[in-house]
Amino acid sequence: MAKSRRAVYPGSFDPLTMGHVDIACRAARLFDELIMAVYDTPNKALLFTTQERVALATEALHDVPNIRVDSFRGLTVDYARSVSAQVLVRGLRATSDFELEFQWSLMNRKLSREIEVVCLVSSLRYIFTSSSNIKEVARLGGDVGGLVPPCVAQALAERFGRDDSAPPVPRYLAT
Ligand code: ADP
């Protein structure tokens, strides 16, 4: 019987964007199973808790049958080993991503010889989308529709105390 191929797509996903969804769906076509692994303790300030990030990714990807969402702490290669995955998936937007992903690929290779890193290039429409610019735009009342799944748009609106059903009124027009 052919060996089943399981891959892990690790990330902070704070929050999940359509750029992440695009990479996850494309990777899910390449492997038998894809685990979206939400990193519990990234070295950056988080807007959403691990539980919230897992819940948002689960809701956004629930109709892709071979994707499941999990969370992890510690080394990514140790997590991959614990779920018997041979591949780590990462997304590349620009040369700045490349530098970082290249360094992490080599580090992960040093930590674990049996795990391969597969990088998928971002779709053009999401090349400028990052969790940090989404958070900044949402915090300032800008429209992030189409760049994040609807459940994430809703969570951002709630987090920043806005009613997402009505577009924000520019302050100079408000009476
Ligand atoms: P990190 O894991 O570095 O905290 P993220 O959680 O934002 O970063 O992203 C996880 C992975 O998805 C990274 O490989 C990142 O380069 C990639 N990624 C993020 N946004 C996009 C996008 N718009 N298009 C393609 N890949 C992306």
Side-chain angles (χ1 to χ4, degrees):
M1 200 164 73
K3 218 165 98 186
S4 131
R5 285 273 170 200
R6 181 177 291 148
V8 168
Y9 179 20
S12 311
F13 307 118
D14 184 48
L16 188 81
T17 70
M18 288 309 292
H20 297 131
V21 170
D22 176 60
I23 295 289
C25 292
R26 287 163 52 205
R29 292 203 289 267
L30 299 176
F31 301 99
D32 298 310
E33 186 184 11
L34 182 79
I35 303 175
M36 295 280 295
V38 176
Y39 184 32
D40 191 36
T41 48
N43 191 14
K44 49 181 153 184
L46 291 168
L47 181 63
F48 294 102
T49 65
T50 304
Q51 218 182 359
E52 289 168 332
R53 287 177 286 141
V54 167
L56 290 171
T58 305
E59 184 172 347
L61 292 160
H62 77 276
D63 55 355
V64 189
N66 65 332
I67 296 183
R68 75 179 161 95
V69 183
D70 194 8
S71 63
F72 75 103
R73 52 177 57 187
L75 290 173
T76 311
V77 289
D78 287 344
Y79 173 75
R81 218 181 274 125
S82 76
V83 293
S84 308
Q86 306 86 357
V87 175
L88 295 180
V89 171
R90 297 288 287 173
L92 288 181
R93 284 158 297 187
T95 48
S96 50
D97 277 349
F98 177 79
E99 283 288 315
L100 212 64
E101 297 300 340
F102 190 69
Q103 287 176 21
W104 270 113
S105 291
L106 293 175
M107 179 58 84
N108 283 330
R109 164 55 63 88
K110 189 206 171 309
L111 294 169
S112 172
R113 287 231 144 247
E114 71 270 22
I115 288 174
E116 290 292 345
V117 177
V118 169
C119 289
L120 298 182
V121 172
S122 174
S123 294
L124 259 184
R125 62 201 295 209
Y126 302 127
I127 213 136
F128 297 111
T129 304
S130 68
S131 295
S132 48
N133 68 21
I134 289 290
K135 282 184 280 195
E136 186 65 359
V137 169
R139 188 176 68 80
L140 297 170
D143 179 15
V144 292
L147 297 177
V148 292
C151 60
V152 172
Q154 171 89 35
L156 285 166
E158 281 165 16
R159 189 55 48 98
F160 293 117
R162 252 181 287 278
D163 174 5
D164 204 29
S165 58
V169 180
R171 192 170 313 149
Y172 62 87
L173 290 179
T175 50

